[in-house]
Amino acid sequence: MVKEKTVYRVRGFTCANCAKTFETNVKNLQGVKDAEVNFGASKITVYGEASIQELEKAGAFENLKIYPENEKLEEQKEPFWKRYRVTILSAIFLFIGWGCSFLFGDHSLLTVFSFLISILIGGWGLFKTGFKNLFHLQFDMKTLMTIAIIGAAIIGEWKEGATVVMLFAISEALEAYSMDRARNSIKSLMDIAPKEALVFRGNKEKSVKVEDIRVDDILIVKPGEKIAMDGVIINGSSFVNQSAITGESIPVMKTVGDEVFAGTLNEDGLVKVKVTKTVEDTTLAKIIHLVEEAQGERAPSQAFIDKFAKYYTPVIMLIALLVATIPPLLFDADWKTWIYQGLAVLVVGCPCALVISTPVAVVTAIGNAARNGVLIKGGIHLEQTGKLQAIAFDKTGTLTNGTPVVTDVDSVSEAFEDGFAILAAIENRSHHPLAKAVVQYAQDQNISYSHLDVADLTSITGKGMKATVNGETYVVGSPNFIEEEIGERLPKTWKQSIMEKQAHGNTVVLLANKKKVLLIVAISDKPRKNSRHVIEQLNRLGIKKIWMLTGDNENTANAIAKQIGVPHVKAELLPEGKVENIKKLRNKYEKVAMIGDGVNDAPALAAATVGIAMGASGTDTALETADIALMGDDLKKIPFMIRLSRKALAVIKQNVAFSIGIKLLALLLVVPGWLTLWLAIFADMGATLLVTLNALRLLRVKEELERYTVILPS
């Protein structure tokens, strides 16, 4: 039986290949059933039992350091000379060797000695790993480099061997630096929330570390300070800048009863906040966890590259062997020349650039999205978003504000206040936005309903409710539902009035007893102010079909759709009806997104290729159920997200094509015998550096892509 998993942070990763080797080493430890390395987040998940000492031994080839996941790591800032002292010392002897070569010739004892010392100092760590991998028949980049450098020394190419060691060290340093840049999106998130907060305890204020703050503690947050924990304001009011969590650039007014998040900035008023979550459970902590998990999840492109690289390396070794032996054996060519060419093939064939081409793009794109209030839960969802052909929206709370208000009430068969009190008493038991509008209207009109006894409440999803109030049975719901319940059709004058209300975008709710209709209530939920603009942008982006799928009545749905420009509408749908329509869209367009509130729309979100939840209105549920969450409920993030995903797809394809293309080009130089170890290492180092820099362009995607009008999926 596998023990519960344990997650550790890893410090010291230099390349994706090395991370894969570490993963393999950990899997081979006694007591470990399985292990997964998240290179993007610098983490390893271990299934089974293994001590930190055992894990560090498995990573000794790269001097990896292992820490518990929740341990706070202080950034170790070493002076440049100390961090790269081995490389610097190796470089000094390399330059001495070049000087001696110029003065005394390539084969003088002093020249050879200088190059040998440079190789041993700069390549000692490389050789240790390379020989160990060779012994275990693990052919990664360091194995290939070890064979090539030692081979160069054997055939007397000391100068090139030492130069290759130096260039390889520079290449690894640049790759590590570039990956650190990509990981900074996580580090910046971790630094958003303060490490301490002012807490009111024992009738006095005291500064407390966030790890020691408990649920129900009272935080005192002064103007200009960041809020340390998730909670609810119990005193005071202020504008709060929530851009770190939701991506909203405009501060939001928060007052008593409003929820606030860790990491957000209190701008202009002193507030007291009652803590509702521990530091491990804050919305910010969940965002960090989700982004780290997303960066570790292999995208389809990455899964393909990993599989490809597994067979690619042995093939390169075979090609190198054939290049080194066939010309001398079959065509009586010079052994030294072709062994040299074979070693150059080994160097140029290193799969580093190919292996890193996808993960660096995924890590960078997901980090950029998170900083802009969009949580993408994995590389697979990032890629799928870039290929979307059709999008379906829920209406209430998605295309509309989700805070409907009562606009009109017709009292048909009962005194207005008595009838509305009964309606409010029933609706007070529901969490539906329409129910909240009814209750709010009753409170605004000072209509008392709390004294009424409500029993036997039954909710019929997508239709309405039944309940017994003071011993009499009542039904609340849509006109069709009410007709079913009372067993007769509504009068034509009532129907005409209902249709007029619906034509203006109102949802109509009726209250009836078993015999007759008592109230006709019109409720309106206004479209979000940017809904129409977002639909226009999606059309320009080439999305082929845009639908509204709603449980609301057809007239209301059509009225809202007309206001915001949604061309296709399906109304009066139960949850299973939305799922059915999503499946139809998938059959026709293959890649389909569903955008909803993450609760009632959960089945449709799951059925879609990409489920996108409005995160602010139900953050916990949205983060758990959807593939992507919009933390600020900002629909403008959807076009941005599609652009970012398409750009990421393009970058991945560019990186893969460039990585393979530059190697094929270099290998063609073998035919005329022009491929040197220098060219080989420059090709490998250059490819690795260029694919990484190309991926880092995704950090600027928001500014760049605002200029684009139409970007069609490839």
Side-chain angles (χ1 to χ4, degrees), residues 56 86 312 347 448 533 556 567 629 633 646 655 666:
E56 288 187 343
V86 172
Y312 168 85
V347 174
S448 177
H533 176 65
T556 302
D633 286 0
R646 290 182 181 177
N655 283 355

Side-chain angles (χ1 to χ4, degrees), residues 475-531:
V475 288
V476 177
S478 66
N480 291 342
F481 176 58
I482 297 299
E483 284 184 337
E484 290 175 16
E485 290 299 314
I486 65 176
E488 61 181 65
R489 295 198 173 278
L490 300 175
K492 286 185 178 180
T493 52
W494 293 4
K495 278 198 170 185
Q496 189 174 351
S497 174
I498 290 169
M499 289 175 67
E500 286 176 3
K501 289 179 172 63
Q502 291 173 339
H504 287 90
N506 292 291
T507 297
V508 178
V509 173
L510 277 63
L511 171 70
N513 57 24
K514 279 295 183 181
K515 299 177 183 177
K516 58 185 178 180
V517 174
L518 308 177
L519 289 177
I520 299 174
V521 180
I523 303 172
S524 177
D525 182 13
K526 301 296 183 185
R528 292 180 185 272
K529 61 181 180 181
N530 56 14
S531 291

Side-chain angles (χ1 to χ4, degrees), residues 494-637:
W494 293 4
K495 278 198 170 185
Q496 189 174 351
S497 174
I498 290 169
M499 289 175 67
E500 286 176 3
K501 289 179 172 63
Q502 291 173 339
H504 287 90
N506 292 291
T507 297
V508 178
V509 173
L510 277 63
L511 171 70
N513 57 24
K514 279 295 183 181
K515 299 177 183 177
K516 58 185 178 180
V517 174
L518 308 177
L519 289 177
I520 299 174
V521 180
I523 303 172
S524 177
D525 182 13
K526 301 296 183 185
R528 292 180 185 272
K529 61 181 180 181
N530 56 14
S531 291
R532 187 173 187 87
H533 176 65
V534 168
I535 299 301
E536 289 171 354
Q537 279 192 299
L538 292 175
N539 284 322
R540 289 200 298 270
L541 283 167
I543 298 298
K544 293 180 179 177
K545 286 288 179 182
I546 300 174
W547 282 79
M548 177 196 290
L549 304 179
T550 178
D552 212 339
N553 73 80
E554 192 168 348
N555 288 333
T556 302
N558 285 329
I560 295 293
K562 188 175 181 181
Q563 288 180 51
I564 61 179
V566 175
H568 307 285
V569 179
K570 285 279 186 180
E572 300 180 18
L573 295 174
L574 297 176
E576 54 266 33
K578 291 185 180 182
V579 171
E580 186 180 335
N581 277 276
I582 289 292
K583 287 180 178 178
K584 287 179 181 177
L585 285 172
R586 286 196 68 172
N587 287 336
K588 188 170 183 180
Y589 298 102
E590 194 174 346
K591 306 299 182 187
V592 178
M594 173 67 193
I595 303 168
D597 64 10
V599 183
N600 296 330
D601 298 306
L605 291 172
T609 313
V610 180
I612 303 171
M614 308 296 282
S617 56
T619 302
D620 289 345
T621 307
L623 291 179
E624 293 298 327
T625 60
D627 303 317
I628 297 172
L630 307 180
M631 296 307 299
D633 286 0
D634 186 355
L635 292 177
K636 293 199 301 293
K637 302 297 182 184

Side-chain angles (χ1 to χ4, degrees), residues 70 83 174 197 200 235 286 288 316 330 385 411 443 513 526 547 555 582 641 643 664 695:
N70 295 324
R83 186 174 183 183
L174 287 171
F200 190 76
N235 185 266
K286 288 184 178 181
I288 292 169
I316 283 292
L330 298 184
T385 302
S411 181
Q443 293 171 353
N513 57 24
K526 301 296 183 185
W547 282 79
N555 288 333
I582 289 292
M641 183 176 61
R643 290 174 179 135
L664 290 175

